[in-house]
Amino acid sequence: MADEDVPEGGTIVDPRRLHEAARIAEALVFASAGPVSQNYIAERLPRGVDVLHVLRELKGLYAGRGVNLVQVDDGWAFRTAPDLSFVIRTDETEVRKLSRAALEVLSIIAYHQPVTRAEIEEIRGVQTSKGTLDVLMEAGWVRFRGRRRTPGRPVTFGTTRDFLDHFGLEELRDLPGLEELKGAGLLSGRIPSNFQVPLPLGEDELAEDEDPITQLDLEELGLLTPGGKEDE
Amino acid sequence: MADEDVPEGGTIVDPRRLHEAARIAEALVFASAGPVSQNYIAERLPRGVDVLHVLRELKGLYAGRGVNLVQVDDGWAFRTAPDLSFVIRTDETEVRKLSRAALEVLSIIAYHQPVTRAEIEEIRGVQTSKGTLDVLMEAGWVRFRGRRRTPGRPVTFGTTRDFLDHFGLEELRDLPGLEELKGAGLLSGRIPSNFQVPLPLGEDELAEDEDPITQLDLEELGLLTPGGKEDE
Amino acid sequence: MPGPGSKSQKNGRGADAPMEDLWQEGGEERGLSEESLVVDLAGFEGPLDLLLHLARTQKVDLTRISVLALAEQYLAFIDKARKIRIELAADYLVMAAWLAYLKSRLLIPKQAKDDGPTGEEMAASLAFRLKRLEAMRDAATRLVNRNRLGRDVFARGMPEHIPTERRSAFEASLYDLLNAYASLRQRHAITQVTIEKRNVWSLSDAREILSLLVGGFADDDWTALDHFMLRYLTDPAERTTAIASAFAATLELVREGRLELRQDGVFQPIYLRRGPKTEGDDEEGTKNG
């Protein structure tokens, strides 16, 4: 109180008004996408309130807490307390959004499983880069299911239990069908009458022309990632 | 971490440790824009600390401030106090505008979930135009929930945590007027027995048949909109 | 960050802000005014919406409306609409038929051995549906007027960290997945559409055929275009295209002097006969196939 600098018109000292001013300053700094300048805050405080006083009070209030009010460049910002960085900066990798291509491949695998890579490419009409399938395998959503009993014995892909968990599905049959995709507006009415959305085959069932995949197959195909990273 | 003196299931009451736990919780929630789940916080608190206790204390601490701690479903988030919106809102702040139909569908889904598309249409008496559900799902407020265990296994819709977050609801039970609507039988799909319409003619004859009108009856009566007819 | 020059002081929306303000098509006129029964269905979302609007004009609790009076109002409305030839969607007519039936059930005493629902039950179910729809609309209004994130309350503007409990390092929602699948399949479905081959007579086909035929005409013999097309066309689906192309071809042949045309009046048959330049001069154009 002693070192208060008094602006024109005198300083408000009414605690209720000061509290209100502090609330405003607090909310402004919190919601802002960058440090907020002192002037910007001052313009929004009740007339006659000393902005610096309010901010210093706030700074003191937050000093011992998990979040601190700090002065950055020309403005004010909230930052988590430096000593708590160990909780915030965890070992987690940053969550990445799945790319459009990966989403497409994943959805084809989900609906058309068991499906071979050639079939995926046929449905998409473009070549699928190796990386896309790798990403989906790495995410733990896609797995090798078996091998098709056709020349070349191509590997078939399917989805995993983690896939169902992540997308909140109880079973594959819960994937919306043609009518439901239309009903939800995801498919427009302008589709040919012979258009079909397949009913995916359950995870554990093997298709008639499908053999289960074996460890040997995986090794033979060179599909095992270095370091024996396969989970099951 | 090293709280070996805490008995199984016991809770820490040492104020210093509680304060430390509060700081961590505060920092975790503060650092994130979206709600942080209670489990996530619990895993990062010192062992033996009752996470709910800590969060409730924090909630009380922030209650009168410019930033409040709010609960959203199983998560916690800091939000600016609603009464300060006038200071924070800028010309750029724009929330998604919904069409009248979309808003109606959204509230039907919120109050009747899990609900099928046919049921939504039955309540509104019109077919849901393509794109209405699509818009709601894209906004992240509505999701496919599962399938109804009835013939045809229709897909059901429900709301998301983002929906709760956006409309400032802690949980679905906080939907405005939910209890009254339930009490009035308006959410059950069945006509409550007290829903008697006095006859303009003053007919005395009482119906012997006291069964409530069932969904099946409504279908027979043609009261159900054509929405469900295509379900093969 | 809140930009300078924000002039937000005044537009703080209270909880009682009218819903219309918040709708996209806010302030849209309803199709019906209470006094003058102006027939216009544009503002209504189906028959139930119209009925609800009519019921509100009774200004009583929906549990106590006179369903009979409501049915009559609706039927009167539909009649009026039909009189001035407004095209009514089928569901409005279905509702009208049902209400007419309901009316008869309410007016005629219940028969002793009648298994169907009584008029009262039917009326109750209608009143219930109206009440439920109204309740949902009220709920929507209350919902939209709540303190909304991004409008009334705000999240941390400068998040430092996105917590995740997902073990997977990738994020995608079911909606993203389904949307990707649906648009992919749709894209390909459309590119693969094969338009059914329509049997179309091209102008040159018609010209060729006509030229051949004209050769067979006797001098001064008028032949109706329709008539000689009939000889050729067994498939009725082909007729329109054939006549159109043939007529265009005749005009071309007339210009070249190979054909003459005659029509006695509007919509009368069109007659053809050989023109002055037919004999022998086949050298250009007519036959190149």
Side-chain angles (χ1 to χ4, degrees), chain B residues 98-121:
Chain B
L98 286 181
S99 71
R100 194 176 97 114
L103 195 54
E104 216 169 279
V105 169
L106 177 63
S107 59
I108 290 170
I109 292 173
Y111 284 80
H112 291 258
Q113 62 188 298
V115 64
T116 67
R117 181 154 174 257
E119 286 159 355
I120 296 168
E121 295 184 340

Side-chain angles (χ1 to χ4, degrees), chain B residues 114-173:
Chain B
V115 64
T116 67
R117 181 154 174 257
E119 286 159 355
I120 296 168
E121 295 184 340
E122 199 256 329
I123 292 169
R124 296 188 64 225
V126 278
Q127 289 211 301
T128 308
S129 67
K130 317 267 177 221
T132 304
L133 279 164
D134 187 21
V135 160
L136 293 173
M137 287 199 282
E138 205 189 337
W141 294 338
V142 160
R143 64 188 170 97
F144 288 109
R145 264 185 68 136
R147 284 180 184 271
R148 179 72 46 81
R149 304 215 187 292
T150 54
R153 303 192 6 110
V155 162
T156 56
F157 294 92
T159 53
T160 61
R161 186 166 83 173
D162 279 355
F163 164 81
L164 295 176
D165 195 16
H166 183 90
F167 291 99
L169 300 161
E170 268 189 26
E171 48 179 342
L172 285 175
R173 269 187 290 174

Side-chain angles (χ1 to χ4, degrees), chain A residues 9-81:
Chain A
T11 311
I12 285 177
V13 284
D14 172 11
R16 280 216 317 273
R17 306 285 308 266
L18 280 179
H19 177 67
E20 204 49 31
R23 291 183 74 229
I24 292 174
E26 201 172 24
L28 279 172
V29 176
F30 171 83
S32 167
V36 191
S37 79
Q38 208 159 297
N39 281 343
Y40 186 86
I41 300 167
E43 282 165 21
R44 278 151 189 85
L45 294 189
R47 195 183 291 270
V49 172
D50 175 8
V51 61
L52 199 59
H53 174 76
V54 167
L55 286 165
R56 281 188 182 144
E57 288 275 310
L58 268 181
K59 188 173 174 176
L61 188 75
Y62 279 98
R65 305 219 51 90
V67 174
N68 303 150
L69 183 62
V70 296
Q71 220 165 339
V72 192
D73 306 329
D74 186 29
W76 294 78
F78 280 113
R79 292 276 193 264
T80 48

Side-chain angles (χ1 to χ4, degrees), chain A residues 30-33 35 40 44 78-80 88 92-98 100 103-104 106-108 111-112 123-125 135 139 141 162-163 166-167 176 186-188 191-192 195-196 198, chain C residues 1-6 9 154-158 160-190 192-193:
Chain A
F30 171 83
S32 167
Y40 186 86
R44 278 151 189 85
F78 280 113
R79 292 276 193 264
T80 48
I88 303 298
E92 285 156 21
T93 47
E94 201 183 319
V95 179
R96 280 182 285 161
K97 267 217 161 271
L98 217 52
R100 181 86 197 169
L103 273 174
E104 282 180 6
L106 179 60
S107 66
I108 291 169
Y111 273 98
H112 297 256
I123 295 167
R124 282 189 74 213
V135 158
W141 293 337
D162 277 355
F163 165 82
H166 180 94
F167 291 96
L186 291 168
L187 273 177
S188 82
I191 45 177
F195 186 90
Q196 280 188 338
Chain C
M1 93 179 257
S6 141
Q9 302 283 92
F154 298 84
R156 176 89 191 268
M158 214 179 344
E160 294 163 65
H161 155 86
I162 296 150
T164 174
E165 281 146 286
R166 303 229 187 270
R167 276 178 296 133
S168 86
F170 295 95
E171 180 50 58
S173 72
L174 183 59
Y175 175 77
D176 295 336
L177 183 75
L178 298 175
N179 198 22
Y181 182 70
S183 33
L184 168 79
R185 293 292 313 277
Q186 180 118 311
R187 238 169 27 234
H188 287 274
I190 285 169
Q192 283 165 13
V193 160

